[in-house]
Amino acid sequence: YAATEPEKANKSLVALARQCKEHLQLPLLKDKVRRSDWTRPLNQFQIDYAASDAYAGFMLYHALEAKRKMLRPVPPRPGHAELGLPIRLTDEDEAAAPGSAQPRASKLDEELDPVSRRLFAALRQRRNEIAKEKNIVPIVVALDRTLLRIARLRPPDVDGIKLLN
């Protein structure tokens, strides 16, 4: 729905245990180990807990990918997957990790169609102008990742832009 009816796209977070129950028909046990001290060397219960979460995420990806491929027409993967970006909950996560191994926007915009590429360039230019006027760094105005999403999905109005993560 993101491109045509963004108001129908559910962007709320869903607990991993709930997703496992719904899509894998398996329980994901969440017991007191999750509230234990993770700052010290991990004990076997903590290691098992962490491994279970990682494995559940891996299995969920495959289950959801299979369900996506069964839809007609087959929808594209979410924008972050198509652009090779890691999944982040907020743009602040990206800004807080200055040394993270993010692909540079110049590489990412090569994957856009020509119209989206021109729109992305115009958005970056306007973002830089605003930053210069306000004497702030450009990422405070908008991250490249956000501008890429806008260029790629081309929301029809401001409300559509607000629905982007």
Side-chain angles (χ1 to χ4, degrees), residues 71-93:
L71 296 172
R72 295 294 175 255
V74 176
R77 289 187 182 97
H80 63 271
E82 295 296 318
L83 295 173
L85 296 170
I87 299 169
R88 298 207 183 264
L89 297 180
T90 64
D91 284 341
E92 286 76 31
D93 291 342

Side-chain angles (χ1 to χ4, degrees), residues 45-86:
F45 293 113
Q46 290 170 314
I47 292 169
D48 291 345
Y49 177 86
S52 295
D53 274 8
Y55 184 70
F58 178 76
M59 296 307 292
L60 272 169
Y61 167 81
H62 289 289
L64 293 172
E65 181 69 359
K67 289 180 179 185
R68 181 187 72 83
K69 288 180 177 178
M70 288 191 307
L71 296 172
R72 295 294 175 255
V74 176
R77 289 187 182 97
H80 63 271
E82 295 296 318
L83 295 173
L85 296 170

Side-chain angles (χ1 to χ4, degrees), residues 6-44:
E7 69 280 357
K8 290 186 178 180
N10 181 355
K11 294 186 178 186
S12 61
L13 297 176
V14 180
L16 183 61
R18 181 174 170 196
Q19 290 183 61
C20 286
K21 186 173 177 120
E22 180 179 340
H23 298 288
L24 303 175
Q25 289 75 50
L26 294 171
L28 183 64
L29 302 178
K30 299 286 187 179
D31 57 15
K32 63 183 179 181
V33 72
R34 69 195 252 191
R35 290 184 295 276
S36 60
D37 185 359
W38 290 78
T39 63
R40 297 181 177 209
L42 302 182
N43 63 39
Q44 191 59 49

